[in-house]
Amino acid sequence: LHDNTRLICVVNTTGTPYYQRQLLRDVVVWYGLSQGIRDDILKSVEGSIYAYEFDNANADAFVAEVVRDFFTTYGDVRLPNGAPAKLALYFPQTKDLRELRPVVEQTLIGMGVATDVVLRNTSKSTEAEIAAFNRLNDPASPHRVILLVNKGTEGWNCPSLFACALARRLKKSQNFVLQAASRCLRQVPGNPHKARIYLSMDNRSALDQQLQETYGETIGDLDRTHTAVKTTKIRLRKLAIPPLVVTKLIRRVVPQPRTAPPTLALERPDLPAETEIVRKVFTLGAQPHTASVLTQQDEDAVRVVVGRDLYAAAAELAATYRLPALDLLRELRRLYAGDDPTSSPLVPATHMPALARRIEQQTAAYTIEEEEVEEALALIKVDGFEEEICDGATVYTAEITYHKEKEDLLLSWRQPARTADRFGFHYTPYNFDSGPERDYFLQLMTRLDQDPDDIADVYFTGAITDPRKTDVYVEYKGIDGRWHRYSPDFVIRRRDGHTTIVEIKAERMRADPIDGEQGRKAMAVRKWVDLNPDRLRYRIVFAGTAGVGLNQVKETLDAAQAYAVEEDAAAENL
């Protein structure tokens, strides 16, 4: 262009002037959401951002409430061209959509709305579904509830869209929350109605953060330095590391032979049929003394009756326990329909777990056996690293990412030179997650340099959590009911093989239900310790604002050395 024209400049326009979380530096004109709402280019969401407190187990209640509220508010709303208002529900994965679509349809049936208003659009949609999605702007389109997975974000123009809902928490939202939530904002001349955004409280936080980049920022703010992510490689220095040998408790489910077919006799659970979720109403507006741009206006408790019809409930329970569906249907009809064989009541979602437990008690043909087994846990699994040739020698590396502001937490084996060759740095650099972790390690190195006693080595294990690279982690059941992995920060090993596991936490986390002194992570490690009282110790160091104290370092070392004292005492008693 420059060689063949009298080109003066190139102007680029974009609705998303950022890359990942970093705003582009060449932005010279900024037209944010607030200006668009004021100029009536976008629909208003004043007092119409609804955030709900619920966990994934109650996602069905959230979806049912969204559908009910949408049709209560927008059931009769149409654009000037006659197109009816539409609702978009975004799901993280196809299985989430598959699990919650029956809730959408059951709620519609309960409101007297035909289920043919529902349209799915995913990567596995049929040609007919895709064609229907492309016709949504047609006033004659019958669809009003659009179920989406990885579709309907940037570039989707549907002026009749009045509401968006993010049905489940997203682990990695990037700008997806903002992209999805803003789909319903496109205004049409002559439309007086607001848009509505439905979120979980977790996704509300993500939306608030992303709105700060597009709504709460001034043009001058665009020049500020943004968080940058950098990459580097870690390299293994010690390959012949003795494994951590521990005794673990293994539970096995052992099937038992049945002597007779199971007999079902269910009872109606004495539980409320309603699920209660908390709804908070937010509006857009910058708040003084805070970066947040979502201001809460109201809060109330919403009671939602969510359930499955008798046939769906019977089919679900029959599939789970491999029982005849008709037998379960008869039992459920007896409990919920009574003497009226023509009625089709719902089985409340709150009753389903209790019914399942009852079936489990009556049909279970197994026992749970426990066995203690000894396992050798590898601190480093070489096969999980990339093999490279460096100066004619084979080295094992892995690429890591870290935030630029945490660059000072990288620690190379060359820095604390006096003790590096003996203690620590089984890989380099160590990539600590916090200042107290780094501080603890450096103090430990200094103390061991002065008096190593019987310590064989120290390993920082908190950063390598990939099970392909290490076996040193425990599994714990989170508050969400799912199993998670936890890798403690340090392993201190004595020459005789006794080991002390050390975790560094901020003082404010002491009472945390997951990371606290009696949290789920600590309890999982203590189960190890209880099974290995002659091998393992576990210490949590709670660091204050000033970092880790010298006495705290001494206490963990004393705990590691205490094995010798206790063994001597035991020998004397014998």
Side-chain angles (χ1 to χ4, degrees):
L1 285 174
H2 180 69
D3 292 340
N4 295 283
T5 67
R6 299 178 61 187
L7 181 67
I8 297 174
C9 69
V10 176
V11 176
N12 176 51
T13 60
T14 175
T16 51
Y18 43 78
Y19 173 70
Q20 293 181 349
R21 286 179 139 184
Q22 186 169 356
L23 290 161
L24 304 180
R25 292 182 296 175
D26 297 331
V27 175
V28 294
V29 176
W30 180 259
Y31 189 77
L33 291 176
S34 56
Q35 295 98 314
I37 292 173
R38 284 197 300 266
D39 294 344
D40 205 30
I41 294 172
L42 301 175
K43 299 184 186 84
S44 171
V45 286
E46 181 182 358
S48 197
I49 300 174
Y50 286 8
Y52 295 81
E53 287 185 353
F54 66 94
D55 54 30
N56 278 348
N58 289 332
D60 50 359
F62 168 71
V63 170
E65 166 61 14
V66 166
V67 174
R68 184 203 62 77
D69 183 79
F70 172 78
F71 278 93
T72 301
T73 307
Y74 297 99
D76 299 325
V77 171
R78 292 180 178 270
L79 293 182
N81 69 352
K86 297 175 177 62
L87 163 68
L89 287 94
Y90 292 86
F91 298 88
Q93 299 177 19
T94 303
K95 71 178 185 66
D96 298 307
L97 186 157
R98 188 167 54 248
E99 290 174 4
L100 293 173
R101 180 167 184 166
V103 177
V104 173
E105 295 177 340
Q106 190 69 54
T107 305
L108 291 172
I109 292 171
M111 300 181 69
V113 179
T115 58
D116 57 7
V117 301
V118 178
L119 176 66
R120 180 189 69 153
N121 190 18
T122 72
S123 59
K124 297 182 179 179
S125 285
T126 64
E127 291 184 5
E129 288 174 329
I130 295 173
F133 181 78
N134 293 331
R135 291 196 303 270
L136 286 174
N137 285 324
D138 186 340
S141 171
H143 299 110
R144 301 196 63 182
V145 180
I146 322 301
L147 311 181
L148 301 163
V149 178
N150 294 326
K151 296 291 184 72
T153 53
E154 188 171 8
W156 182 33
N157 179 21
C158 186
S160 59
L161 192 64
F162 274 79
C164 294
L166 275 67
R168 279 189 172 167
R169 180 182 179 182
L170 304 173
K171 294 181 179 179
K172 295 182 179 179
S173 64
Q174 296 179 343
N175 287 300
F176 174 78
V177 175
L178 176 60
Q179 287 289 339
S182 60
R183 290 307 97 193
C184 62
L185 299 184
R186 302 195 178 205
Q187 183 60 294
V188 170
N191 167 55
H193 302 284
K194 299 177 183 179
R196 181 153 297 172
I197 299 172
Y198 302 96
L199 302 161
S200 69
M201 286 298 294
D202 294 314
N203 288 331
R204 183 212 66 84
S205 301
L207 176 63
D208 195 1
Q209 183 177 358
Q210 292 163 23
L211 280 170
Q212 291 171 33
E213 299 177 357
T214 60
Y215 178 83
E217 299 269 354
T218 65
I219 294 175
D221 290 331
L222 301 184
D223 292 329
R224 72 185 187 189
T225 302
H226 287 263
T227 299
V229 176
K230 302 183 69 174
T231 63
T232 190
K233 283 187 176 181
I234 59 173
R235 178 174 61 85
L236 297 185
R237 292 186 63 247
K238 300 177 180 179
L239 304 182
I241 302 176
L244 179 62
V245 180
V246 298
T247 299
K248 299 174 69 175
L249 189 66
I250 304 298
R251 291 183 174 88
R252 293 186 177 89
V253 178
V254 181
Q256 299 295 315
R258 292 185 184 275
T259 57
T263 301
L264 284 179
L266 301 182
E267 297 177 359
R268 183 163 178 160
D270 186 17
L271 295 169
E274 298 175 329
T275 300
E276 183 176 294
I277 55 178
V278 177
R279 178 177 64 194
K280 299 182 180 182
V281 181
F282 292 83
T283 192
L284 286 174
Q287 302 182 60
H289 313 303
T290 178
S292 176
V293 294
L294 289 178
T295 304
Q296 184 174 340
Q297 289 187 324
D298 195 13
E299 179 177 334
D300 60 354
V302 179
R303 295 183 178 274
V304 186
V305 177
V306 186
R308 298 156 177 77
D309 62 49
L310 297 179
Y311 295 93
E316 179 179 329
L317 293 170
T320 301
Y321 294 100
R322 293 179 172 81
L323 296 172
L326 288 178
D327 292 350
L328 280 166
L329 179 61
R330 281 192 290 268
E331 275 296 289
L332 294 178
R333 186 174 293 281
R334 179 180 64 81
L335 296 180
Y336 292 94
D339 298 328
D340 184 1
T342 63
S343 66
S344 183
L346 294 180
V347 178
T350 54
H351 289 193
M352 290 294 287
L355 291 170
R357 285 193 296 271
R358 180 69 174 171
I359 294 173
E360 180 109 5
Q361 293 168 359
Q362 296 180 5
T363 63
Y366 62 84
T367 58
I368 297 178
E369 297 180 355
E370 295 183 345
E371 179 184 2
E372 293 184 4
V373 298
E374 196 170 79
E375 288 192 7
L377 307 180
L379 274 79
I380 287 293
K381 297 162 76 171
V382 175
D383 291 344
F385 291 78
E386 296 292 329
E387 184 177 322
E388 298 181 6
I389 303 298
C390 182
D391 297 330
T394 301
V395 296
Y396 298 90
T397 67
E399 188 175 89
I400 62 170
T401 61
Y402 60 93
H403 290 290
K404 185 178 179 180
E405 68 267 18
K406 289 190 175 183
E407 194 161 20
D408 62 325
L409 297 180
L410 295 180
L411 191 64
S412 169
W413 70 278
R414 298 180 185 276
Q415 287 170 274
R418 288 189 300 169
T419 58
D421 287 335
R422 178 173 177 184
F423 294 113
F425 293 105
H426 58 305
Y427 71 89
T428 185
Y430 274 168
N431 50 321
F432 297 104
D433 188 55
S434 67
E437 289 177 1
R438 184 180 186 275
D439 182 40
Y440 175 85
F441 178 74
L442 289 176
Q443 289 195 55
L444 198 60
M445 292 296 97
T446 300
R447 190 170 184 86
L448 289 176
D449 184 45
Q450 297 170 355
D451 183 17
D453 203 3
D454 292 323
I455 302 300
D457 212 338
V458 175
Y459 308 95
F460 173 61
T461 54
I464 296 182
T465 60
D466 186 345
R468 294 173 299 179
K469 295 180 172 63
T470 183
D471 288 330
V472 181
Y473 60 85
V474 296
E475 292 183 322
Y476 69 95
K477 198 170 186 178
I479 297 176
D480 58 3
R482 299 180 180 182
W483 288 93
H484 305 267
R485 288 192 300 270
Y486 156 53
S487 296
D489 291 328
F490 294 96
V491 170
I492 302 176
R493 172 171 277 159
R494 284 168 45 92
R495 292 195 186 97
D496 56 14
H498 291 123
T499 302
T500 299
I501 297 171
V502 180
E503 176 70 17
I504 311 297
K505 287 294 179 186
E507 178 62 39
R508 66 178 184 278
M509 303 298 291
R510 185 180 289 270
D512 188 87
I514 297 295
D515 293 298
E517 190 169 18
Q518 302 301 323
R520 298 186 179 222
K521 292 181 179 179
M523 299 308 293
V525 179
R526 290 187 182 116
K527 288 181 180 179
W528 270 16
V529 174
D530 291 343
L531 290 170
N532 300 268
D534 57 340
R535 294 176 179 172
L536 291 180
R537 291 290 169 87
Y538 179 56
R539 304 280 293 186
I540 304 180
V541 175
F542 290 99
T545 55
V548 177
L550 181 62
N551 63 316
Q552 293 174 300
V553 177
K554 182 178 181 299
E555 286 174 0
T556 56
L557 273 180
D558 288 346
Q561 303 289 8
Y563 289 114
V565 176
E566 292 177 1
E567 286 183 345
D568 290 344
E572 289 179 5
N573 290 334
L574 290 174

